[in-house]
Amino acid sequence: MRVVVDFDRCQSNAVCMDVAPEIFEVRDDNFLYILDEKPSEALRPKVEEAVRRCPTQAISIAED
Amino acid sequence: MASAAPPGRVVVVGASLAGLSALETLRQEGFEGELIAVGAETTLPYDRPPLSKQVLQGHWEPDKIVLREPGQYDALGVTWHLGRRATGLDVSARTVTLDDGEPLAYDGLVIATGATPRRMPGTSELAGIHVLRTLDECLALRQELESASRVCVVGAGFIGAEVAASARVRGLDVTVLEALPSPLARAFPAEMGAACAALHLDQGVDLRCGVTVAGFEGEGRVSGVRLGDGSVVEADVVVVGIGVVPETGWLESSGLPLENGVVCDSTCATAAPGVVAAGDIARWPNNLFGETMRVEHWSNAVEQGTAAAKRLLAGPGDAVDFTPVPYFWSDQYDAKIQFLGRCCPTDEVRIVDGSIEERRFVALFGRDGRLFGALAFNRPRLLMAYRKLLAAKTSFEDAVAHAQGS
Ligand SMILES: Cc1cc2nc3c(=O)[nH]c(=O)nc-3n(C[C@H](O)[C@H](O)[C@H](O)COP(=O)(O)OP(=O)(O)OC[C@H]3O[C@@H](n4cnc5c(N)ncnc54)[C@H](O)[C@@H]3O)c2cc1C
Ligand code: SF4
């Protein structure tokens, strides 16, 4: 599983960071950083929740 | 109450954000029965927030606001009845009536018909007066903005403010009329309304608070808005953003308790067996805040759609309370406004980061010694930290101390 963020859509509102702080971090510069692009399978439910809760549909999961 | 055996057919009325969230959750939770979605609009669920922002500004075309790719919709295995309206509900026969008179039987029902803009008298006779809720309304408004020069927005709530910002970004002259003494005065302490007002004043919007609208000028097409003092604000296009009302009309004869929304218990279940509600239409007691609320925000539609779907599948005794920390955002010009929790005008306010002058701050709201809400301008990372504190019912003092320590 690879976490993909469409940075053209992302509004840096940090909703994903609230769901999965292990993977997503919005820093003081107001940009989103992906801390772990290939998280372990154990984190899949959290990533899926972040996908659903992201208000701009910016996050997706690629299987490669 | 929903039975332990998974229902055979679930009908979702309202094919938008809350309905979609319920449909997806039902499948994720392993529901293999029949799913039917009924939606008054002719489109598959799409995203509304960009309607007052990117789409209205002309930066995005409608293809950008699809909520899911076609393949994802296919995978859900839903029968969509689009462009169809539910007109009645019989809770004892367990049927929904559609606008062609056909009754549709259900084992489980999700009510997700959302809300619709409140209208002003005298606005239907004149062209050029708009409300904004649907994609069609957005495109109609956008087309008129292309040739307009003066726009008047009635109502300085979030939708009105975003429309004003988008019209300004398009280079139009914008007047905003607000009945209250400052924007958002019913929901927030006055200094927060002032902070929102400042964003628009910075950009040259003519914001007039404490004014009443007496009527509209024009023959066939609007030419201005007449105020209570008799003066007229000239405008080629008027947008009315004075709030929304829950879409409960089709439920009026059902006997289901309605009270500014569909009345639910703390688990999103209505008084009728097998019937749950979610999104802008649902009113429920949120035990985290000890308050019965109806929340008109995007994240709530997603979260409550999920909670209501799970409620439908839960066995007796398995139902869980829906106790979210409400969240919303609003984008106006370059400002990213975000709010968590609850707020009322009399809450104690503490600015814990930045300042209103910088248009960058975090404000905390306290009530009865407890942290109730947090509002941020351009401070997303800092704001989100307060969700956990709000969920943990942190005292106001501890929340302020947390802010000073971070
Ligand atoms: C322009 C705009 C901008 C917004 N911006 C933000 C924002 O920045 N941040 C934020 O948090 N929230 C925002 N929101 C609010 C957010 O979009 C709503 O909270 C959300 O759409 C609610 O979802 P819902 O599914 O409950 O209701 P809705 O999206 O209203 O969907 C209800 C659906 O049910 C259909 N329907 C109604 N009656 C019937 C019937 N009798 N039979 C069948 N179908 C019916 C309607 O046609 C509609 O498609 C915005 C809303 C608008 C309109
Ligand atoms: S939730 Fe979505 S929009 Fe918000 S920071 Fe994460 S990816 Fe960006």
Side-chain angles (χ1 to χ4, degrees), chain B residues 282-305:
Chain B
R283 173 177 294 281
W284 88 105
N286 180 338
N287 289 335
L288 179 58
F289 292 91
E291 187 189 332
T292 295
M293 54 181 74
R294 191 169 64 74
V295 175
E296 297 167 354
H297 306 141
W298 193 96
S299 297
N300 186 66
V302 173
E303 292 168 32
Q304 200 166 20

Side-chain angles (χ1 to χ4, degrees), chain B residues 7-170:
Chain B
R9 179 198 270 178
V10 175
V11 173
V12 175
V13 182
S16 181
L17 190 60
L20 175 64
S21 171
L23 291 164
E24 289 183 334
T25 304
L26 286 163
R27 288 298 187 224
Q28 266 165 18
E29 296 288 306
F31 174 74
E32 290 175 353
E34 194 182 355
L35 285 181
I36 297 181
V38 181
E41 293 178 79
T42 51
T43 39
L44 283 165
Y46 62 86
D47 205 26
R48 294 188 203 282
L51 298 181
S52 48
K53 309 176 183 78
Q54 295 92 335
V55 181
L56 199 59
Q57 287 162 22
H59 296 320
W60 283 9
E61 289 310 311
D63 60 350
K64 271 249 198 182
I65 62 165
V66 294
L67 278 165
R68 302 289 180 266
E69 300 304 323
Q72 293 174 299
Y73 280 122
D74 291 345
L76 278 178
V78 173
T79 306
W80 301 92
H81 292 295
L82 298 177
R84 301 284 297 281
R85 215 164 241 291
T87 54
L89 167 66
D90 184 334
V91 296
S92 47
R94 291 202 180 204
T95 55
V96 172
T97 312
L98 302 191
D99 46 12
D100 62 0
E102 198 65 29
L104 186 61
Y106 65 83
D107 300 298
L109 174 67
V110 181
I111 296 175
T113 44
T116 190
R118 189 174 281 135
R119 296 184 191 252
M120 294 185 81
T123 52
S124 54
E125 300 90 65
L126 290 176
I129 304 181
H130 298 256
V131 293
L132 179 55
R133 182 79 187 178
T134 67
L135 176 59
D136 288 347
E137 287 161 353
C138 172
L139 295 177
L141 172 59
R142 183 169 91 172
Q143 192 179 6
E144 291 210 338
L145 291 185
E146 269 154 24
S147 53
S149 54
R150 283 163 309 187
V151 178
C152 180
V153 178
V154 181
F158 285 103
I159 299 281
E162 289 187 357
V163 169
S166 292
R168 241 356 248 139
V169 167
R170 296 188 70 117

Side-chain angles (χ1 to χ4, degrees), chain A residues 49-61:
Chain A
E49 198 189 335
V51 169
R52 268 164 54 76
R53 298 241 315 246
C54 167
T56 66
Q57 291 84 53
I59 311 172
S60 56
I61 300 175

Side-chain angles (χ1 to χ4, degrees), chain A residues 5 10-16 26 32 54-56 58-59:
Chain A
V5 171
C10 172
Q11 296 277 342
S12 296
N13 53 34
V15 171
C16 53
V26 174
L32 170 68
C54 167
T56 66
I59 311 172

Side-chain angles (χ1 to χ4, degrees), chain B residues 170-238:
Chain B
R170 296 188 70 117
L172 306 179
D173 285 340
V174 179
T175 304
V176 177
L177 305 174
E178 171 57 55
L180 298 170
S182 70
L184 310 171
R186 210 165 278 135
F188 288 96
E191 53 263 62
M192 299 298 115
C196 291
L199 292 176
H200 295 276
L201 299 173
D202 288 352
Q203 303 289 334
V205 168
D206 179 6
L207 172 65
R208 305 193 198 172
C209 294
V211 297
T212 54
V213 171
F216 297 91
E217 301 279 308
E219 298 275 327
R221 187 178 171 89
V222 73
S223 62
V225 181
R226 194 163 10 89
L227 304 184
D229 65 4
S231 64
V232 171
V233 175
E234 290 185 6
D236 330 301
V237 172
V238 173

Side-chain angles (χ1 to χ4, degrees), chain B residues 313-397:
Chain B
L313 299 176
D318 293 339
V320 287
D321 282 356
F322 178 56
T323 55
V325 175
Y327 166 75
F328 81 79
W329 78 97
S330 175
D331 300 323
Q332 300 169 25
Y333 313 103
D334 292 335
K336 194 180 290 300
I337 303 170
Q338 292 173 287
F339 178 72
L340 277 171
R342 303 297 286 171
C343 190
C344 74
T346 52
D347 285 345
E348 188 180 340
V349 190
R350 196 77 60 86
I351 307 277
V352 292
D353 181 85
S355 68
I356 290 178
E357 295 68 42
E358 292 170 75
R359 318 274 186 257
R360 261 168 113 77
F361 65 85
V362 177
L364 301 184
F365 305 111
R367 202 182 303 169
D368 307 326
R370 182 180 149 191
L371 176 69
F372 254 71
L375 176 75
F377 274 39
N378 296 318
R379 277 280 180 256
R381 186 182 70 81
L382 289 180
L383 180 80
M384 278 300 161
Y386 291 97
R387 186 196 289 271
K388 285 186 185 67
L389 300 189
L390 284 157
K393 303 189 184 183
T394 306
S395 74
F396 193 54
E397 212 176 297

